[in-house]
């Protein structure tokens, strides 16, 4: 039985295609050169679904995909899903989820205005800190929110820190470390156990070698 594997566009797709190829799963055509979003594999009867990151856990939870490959940020933001297991850390796409604010400016007292696209992660983090916040949802370019006076702080992904520096911000607290993970639909774990195990084991071998 073939597996349906969902992975997100962009960096994860680029970094994961060689890993999947090393496990003998290769799309029949180059996803970067095609507008198609579903690809058959050259062998093994697998399928690859290329989607937006936030939708990878949705496809896996609903069983449309057996396996998903996406960032820990996406999985955490998706929240307490019961429909899948996180089985493997691929050790790529490493970065940090952090709070950040204007350089040299202490955080204001009172209710903190936090701009982010990771509203669930931010809410849970500040709840753990027992800090009262107003969460302002943005879709991207959070770094400009403090510059424009929309927020005091942002919660965002930091890799090199260049984007923060370029916008006069500094990283403050580390919320969690992020990397690319493999998730598996709960039902597929039973119905396609040997295929899932084989792929997870080969990915693990590739990552460790
Ligand atoms: C992420 C993040 C920051 C940037 C951080 O955005 O939102 O803007 O990378 O990287 P740096 O610390 O190396 O500067 P991404 O480029 O993934 O695009 P996005 O805005 O669509 O999330």
């Amino acid at each position: 039985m073939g597996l349906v594997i969902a992975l997100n566009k962009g960096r994860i797709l680029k970094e994961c295609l060689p890993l999947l190829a090393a496990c003998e799963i290769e799309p029949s055509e180059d996803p970067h050169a095609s507008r198609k979003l579903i690809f058959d594999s050259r062998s093994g009867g697998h399928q690859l679904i290329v989607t937006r990151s936030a939708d990878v856990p949705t496809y896996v939870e609903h069983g449309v995909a057996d396996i998903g490959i996406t960032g820990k940020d996406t999985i955490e933001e998706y929240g307490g899903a019961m429909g899948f297991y996180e089985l493997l850390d691929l050790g790529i796409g490493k970065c940090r989820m952090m709070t950040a604010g204007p350089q040299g400016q202490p955080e204001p007292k009172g209710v903190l205005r936090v701009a982010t696209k990771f509203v669930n992660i931010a809410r849970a983090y500040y709840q753990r800190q027992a800090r009262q916040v107003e969460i302002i949802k943005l879709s991207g370019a959070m770094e400009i929110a403090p510059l424009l006076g929309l927020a005091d702080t942002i919660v965002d992904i930091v890799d090199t820190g260049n984007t923060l520096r370029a916008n006069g911000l500094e990283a403050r607290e580390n919320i969690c470390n992020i990397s690319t993970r493999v998730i598996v639909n709960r039902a597929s774990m039973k119905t396609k156990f040997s295929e899932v195990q084989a792929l997870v084991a080969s990915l693990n071998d590739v990552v460790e070698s």
Side-chain angles (χ1 to χ4, degrees):
M1 252 188 300
L3 294 169
V4 181
I5 303 163
L7 64 175
N8 48 281
K9 292 178 188 171
R11 205 157 37 144
I12 288 189
L13 176 66
K14 204 169 155 211
E15 290 183 340
C16 287
L17 285 178
L19 298 184
L20 288 168
C23 302
E24 293 172 358
I25 297 180
E26 285 183 276
S28 50
E29 55 189 293
D30 178 6
H32 293 107
S34 169
R35 299 291 297 169
K36 272 172 71 169
L37 299 170
I38 301 183
F39 300 89
D40 291 325
S41 67
R42 285 186 203 279
S43 59
H46 304 302
Q47 277 189 319
L48 296 182
I49 302 176
V50 179
T51 178
R52 290 185 67 126
S53 60
D55 296 335
V56 169
T58 310
Y59 283 124
V60 177
E61 168 139 56
H62 289 268
V64 175
D66 302 301
I67 289 193
I69 302 179
T70 192
K72 182 67 173 169
D73 52 325
T74 302
I75 297 167
E76 286 290 309
E77 183 60 21
Y78 188 78
M82 302 301 289
F84 56 77
Y85 304 106
E86 185 186 313
L87 286 197
L88 188 62
D89 182 346
L90 292 177
I92 55 175
K94 284 188 178 173
C95 51
R96 286 155 296 153
M97 182 69 67
M98 301 199 73
T99 69
Q103 277 164 11
Q105 267 184 42
E107 278 191 347
K109 302 259 183 293
V111 179
L112 194 67
R113 294 170 307 151
V114 181
T116 187
K117 71 175 178 188
F118 303 100
V119 292
N120 296 329
I121 291 174
R123 195 168 287 123
Y125 173 71
Y126 285 106
Q127 248 167 29
R128 289 197 298 276
Q129 309 285 312
R131 183 83 157 92
Q132 241 194 319
V133 293
E134 178 196 350
I135 307 277
I136 299 160
K137 166 125 174 96
L138 290 178
S139 307
M142 276 79 86
E143 291 85 358
I144 59 172
L147 300 179
L148 299 175
L150 178 66
D152 307 305
T153 297
I154 63 168
V155 167
D156 196 9
I157 286 167
V158 179
D159 180 12
T160 60
N162 289 339
T163 313
L164 291 182
R165 274 190 293 280
N167 290 287
L169 303 177
E170 63 189 7
R172 290 181 177 155
E173 295 131 34
N174 188 6
I175 299 179
C176 58
N177 293 330
I178 308 292
S179 56
T180 304
R181 310 291 167 98
V182 177
I183 57 174
V184 180
N185 173 269
R186 280 172 76 102
S188 305
M189 246 343 243
K190 296 199 181 93
T191 55
K192 298 186 179 178
F193 181 76
S194 52
E195 294 87 345
V196 168
Q197 281 293 94
L199 176 56
V200 170
S202 333
L203 280 171
N204 194 34
D205 288 348
V206 173
V207 166
E208 285 191 347
S209 64

